[in-house]
Amino acid sequence: MSDNFLHQIKHGGVQKKIGSCWTEKPEFLSHKDLVRRASSLVTDSANTYLSQTTLALLDSLTGYTKAINNLVTLHKQYVASISKLTPAEEDAVWQVILLQRQEVIERQKDCKRFESCWMTAINLSELAAEAAFNAGADQASVTAQSSLQVAQSQVEHVRQLSIEAEKALKDSKAEDSERLQKVLSTAMKEDEDIPDAYLRED
Protein backbone atom coordinates (compact mmCIF):
# COMPACT_ATOMS: atom_id res chain seq x y z
CA MET A 1 0.00 0.00 0.00
CA SER A 2 1.53 3.30 -1.05
CA ASP A 3 2.27 6.15 1.35
CA ASN A 4 0.03 8.39 -0.76
CA PHE A 5 -2.93 6.05 -0.31
CA LEU A 6 -2.35 5.89 3.45
CA HIS A 7 -2.23 9.70 3.50
CA GLN A 8 -5.58 9.84 1.69
CA ILE A 9 -7.17 7.47 4.20
CA LYS A 10 -5.86 9.45 7.14
CA HIS A 11 -7.17 12.74 5.75
CA GLY A 12 -10.54 11.52 4.50
CA GLY A 13 -9.67 11.53 0.83
CA VAL A 14 -10.93 8.05 -0.04
CA GLN A 15 -13.63 7.99 -2.68
CA LYS A 16 -15.91 5.31 -4.03
CA LYS A 17 -17.19 4.89 -7.56
CA ILE A 18 -20.93 5.22 -8.24
CA GLY A 19 -21.65 4.55 -11.89
CA SER A 20 -19.10 6.56 -13.78
CA CYS A 21 -18.67 9.15 -11.01
CA TRP A 22 -16.48 9.22 -7.95
CA THR A 23 -17.97 10.53 -4.76
CA GLU A 24 -16.77 10.84 -1.22
CA LYS A 25 -17.99 8.28 1.31
CA PRO A 26 -20.25 9.86 3.97
CA GLU A 27 -17.99 8.56 6.76
CA PHE A 28 -15.13 10.64 5.37
CA LEU A 29 -17.12 13.87 5.04
CA SER A 30 -16.47 16.66 7.52
CA HIS A 31 -19.18 17.95 9.86
CA LYS A 32 -19.39 21.06 7.71
CA ASP A 33 -20.07 18.96 4.62
CA LEU A 34 -22.71 16.88 6.39
CA VAL A 35 -24.49 19.96 7.74
CA ARG A 36 -24.45 21.53 4.29
CA ARG A 37 -25.88 18.35 2.77
CA ALA A 38 -28.57 18.14 5.45
CA SER A 39 -29.55 21.78 4.92
CA SER A 40 -30.00 21.08 1.21
CA LEU A 41 -32.34 18.18 2.03
CA VAL A 42 -34.31 20.45 4.34
CA THR A 43 -34.77 23.07 1.64
CA ASP A 44 -35.92 20.36 -0.80
CA SER A 45 -38.60 19.22 1.65
CA ALA A 46 -39.63 22.80 2.45
CA ASN A 47 -39.91 23.61 -1.25
CA THR A 48 -42.12 20.56 -1.81
CA TYR A 49 -44.44 21.52 1.05
CA LEU A 50 -44.55 25.11 -0.17
CA SER A 51 -45.38 23.99 -3.70
CA GLN A 52 -48.25 21.77 -2.55
CA THR A 53 -49.78 24.30 -0.17
CA THR A 54 -49.46 27.06 -2.75
CA LEU A 55 -51.32 24.95 -5.31
CA ALA A 56 -54.04 24.15 -2.77
CA LEU A 57 -54.44 27.80 -1.79
CA LEU A 58 -54.50 29.01 -5.40
CA ASP A 59 -57.18 26.47 -6.29
CA SER A 60 -59.29 27.35 -3.25
CA LEU A 61 -58.99 31.11 -3.89
CA THR A 62 -59.91 30.61 -7.55
CA GLY A 63 -62.94 28.52 -6.59
CA TYR A 64 -63.96 31.10 -3.98
CA THR A 65 -63.70 33.95 -6.49
CA LYS A 66 -65.71 32.02 -9.08
CA ALA A 67 -68.41 31.20 -6.51
CA ILE A 68 -68.73 34.88 -5.54
CA ASN A 69 -68.93 36.00 -9.18
CA ASN A 70 -71.66 33.42 -9.82
CA LEU A 71 -73.60 34.68 -6.80
CA VAL A 72 -73.34 38.29 -7.98
CA THR A 73 -74.54 37.28 -11.45
CA LEU A 74 -77.49 35.32 -10.05
CA HIS A 75 -78.54 38.24 -7.88
CA LYS A 76 -78.33 40.71 -10.74
CA GLN A 77 -80.46 38.43 -12.93
CA TYR A 78 -82.96 38.10 -10.10
CA VAL A 79 -83.22 41.86 -9.59
CA ALA A 80 -83.59 42.45 -13.34
CA SER A 81 -86.44 39.96 -13.72
CA ILE A 82 -88.19 40.14 -10.36
CA SER A 83 -91.22 41.95 -11.74
CA LYS A 84 -91.78 39.16 -14.27
CA LEU A 85 -91.51 36.22 -11.86
CA THR A 86 -94.42 34.36 -10.36
CA PRO A 87 -94.18 33.55 -6.63
CA ALA A 88 -93.26 29.96 -7.48
CA GLU A 89 -90.56 31.08 -9.92
CA GLU A 90 -89.20 33.54 -7.40
CA ASP A 91 -88.99 30.80 -4.78
CA ALA A 92 -87.11 28.59 -7.23
CA VAL A 93 -84.65 31.36 -8.04
CA TRP A 94 -84.06 31.99 -4.37
CA GLN A 95 -83.30 28.34 -3.76
CA VAL A 96 -80.56 28.58 -6.38
CA ILE A 97 -79.25 31.82 -4.85
CA LEU A 98 -79.16 30.33 -1.36
CA LEU A 99 -77.33 27.24 -2.59
CA GLN A 100 -74.78 29.45 -4.34
CA ARG A 101 -74.38 31.53 -1.19
CA GLN A 102 -73.69 28.35 0.78
CA GLU A 103 -71.02 27.40 -1.76
CA VAL A 104 -69.37 30.78 -1.22
CA ILE A 105 -69.29 30.14 2.53
CA GLU A 106 -67.78 26.66 2.09
CA ARG A 107 -65.19 27.95 -0.37
CA GLN A 108 -64.22 30.68 2.06
CA LYS A 109 -63.65 28.07 4.76
CA ASP A 110 -61.36 26.16 2.41
CA CYS A 111 -59.38 29.33 1.73
CA LYS A 112 -58.85 29.97 5.42
CA ARG A 113 -57.75 26.39 6.07
CA PHE A 114 -55.27 26.27 3.19
CA GLU A 115 -53.99 29.77 3.88
CA SER A 116 -53.02 28.63 7.38
CA CYS A 117 -51.06 25.71 5.87
CA TRP A 118 -49.51 28.03 3.30
CA MET A 119 -48.33 30.50 5.93
CA THR A 120 -46.68 27.64 7.80
CA ALA A 121 -44.98 26.59 4.55
CA ILE A 122 -43.76 30.16 4.00
CA ASN A 123 -42.23 30.27 7.47
CA LEU A 124 -40.58 26.87 7.02
CA SER A 125 -39.14 27.88 3.65
CA GLU A 126 -37.73 31.10 5.10
CA LEU A 127 -36.06 29.15 7.90
CA ALA A 128 -34.77 26.55 5.45
CA ALA A 129 -33.30 29.22 3.18
CA GLU A 130 -31.57 30.86 6.13
CA ALA A 131 -30.26 27.51 7.38
CA ALA A 132 -28.90 26.64 3.93
CA PHE A 133 -27.20 30.02 3.64
CA ASN A 134 -25.59 29.70 7.07
CA ALA A 135 -24.43 26.16 6.22
CA GLY A 136 -22.80 27.31 3.00
CA ALA A 137 -25.36 25.63 0.72
CA ASP A 138 -25.68 28.74 -1.40
CA GLN A 139 -27.50 27.14 -4.32
CA ALA A 140 -30.09 25.54 -2.06
CA SER A 141 -30.62 28.88 -0.32
CA VAL A 142 -31.08 30.71 -3.61
CA THR A 143 -33.52 28.07 -4.85
CA ALA A 144 -35.57 28.30 -1.65
CA GLN A 145 -35.70 32.11 -1.84
CA SER A 146 -36.73 31.96 -5.49
CA SER A 147 -39.53 29.50 -4.68
CA LEU A 148 -40.71 31.81 -1.92
CA GLN A 149 -40.89 34.81 -4.24
CA VAL A 150 -42.79 32.88 -6.92
CA ALA A 151 -45.29 31.46 -4.40
CA GLN A 152 -45.93 34.83 -2.78
CA SER A 153 -46.35 36.53 -6.14
CA GLN A 154 -48.82 33.91 -7.39
CA VAL A 155 -50.91 33.99 -4.24
CA GLU A 156 -50.95 37.79 -4.12
CA HIS A 157 -52.27 37.95 -7.70
CA VAL A 158 -55.09 35.45 -7.12
CA ARG A 159 -55.91 36.92 -3.70
CA GLN A 160 -56.35 40.33 -5.31
CA LEU A 161 -58.92 38.83 -7.68
CA SER A 162 -60.85 37.43 -4.71
CA ILE A 163 -60.77 40.84 -3.00
CA GLU A 164 -62.20 42.45 -6.14
CA ALA A 165 -64.93 39.79 -6.23
CA GLU A 166 -65.81 40.47 -2.59
CA LYS A 167 -66.10 44.17 -3.40
CA ALA A 168 -68.38 43.39 -6.33
CA LEU A 169 -70.56 41.29 -4.00
CA LYS A 170 -70.75 44.12 -1.51
CA ASP A 171 -71.62 46.64 -4.23
CA SER A 172 -74.36 44.35 -5.56
CA LYS A 173 -76.18 44.60 -2.21
CA ALA A 174 -76.96 40.89 -2.51
CA GLU A 175 -76.17 40.32 1.16
CA ASP A 176 -78.47 43.23 2.10
CA SER A 177 -81.48 41.79 0.30
CA GLU A 178 -84.63 41.99 2.42
CA ARG A 179 -85.64 38.47 1.44
CA LEU A 180 -82.20 37.10 2.33
CA GLN A 181 -82.36 38.74 5.73
CA LYS A 182 -85.77 37.15 6.33
CA VAL A 183 -84.42 33.73 5.33
CA LEU A 184 -81.39 34.11 7.61
CA SER A 185 -83.57 35.34 10.47
CA THR A 186 -85.88 32.35 10.07
CA ALA A 187 -82.95 29.95 9.96
CA MET A 188 -81.48 31.43 13.13
CA LYS A 189 -84.84 31.14 14.89
CA GLU A 190 -85.14 27.50 13.85
CA ASP A 191 -81.68 26.78 15.23
CA GLU A 192 -82.63 28.40 18.53
CA ASP A 193 -85.74 26.23 18.72
CA ILE A 194 -83.78 22.99 18.41
CA PRO A 195 -83.53 21.31 21.86
CA ASP A 196 -80.02 21.08 23.28
CA ALA A 197 -80.30 17.29 23.32
CA TYR A 198 -80.27 17.26 19.51
CA LEU A 199 -77.20 19.51 19.36
CA ARG A 200 -75.05 17.45 21.74
CA GLU A 201 -72.67 14.92 20.28
CA ASP A 202 -72.90 11.35 21.55
Side-chain angles (χ1 to χ4, degrees), residues 64-79:
Y64 174 57
T65 300
K66 183 178 179 180
I68 292 178
N69 289 334
N70 288 341
L71 179 58
V72 171
T73 298
L74 284 171
H75 187 264
K76 286 181 178 180
Q77 291 174 343
Y78 164 72
V79 171

Side-chain angles (χ1 to χ4, degrees), residues 111-122:
C111 288
K112 291 180 178 179
R113 180 171 66 254
F114 287 126
E115 183 159 19
S116 177
C117 295
W118 183 75
M119 288 303 301
T120 298
I122 288 291

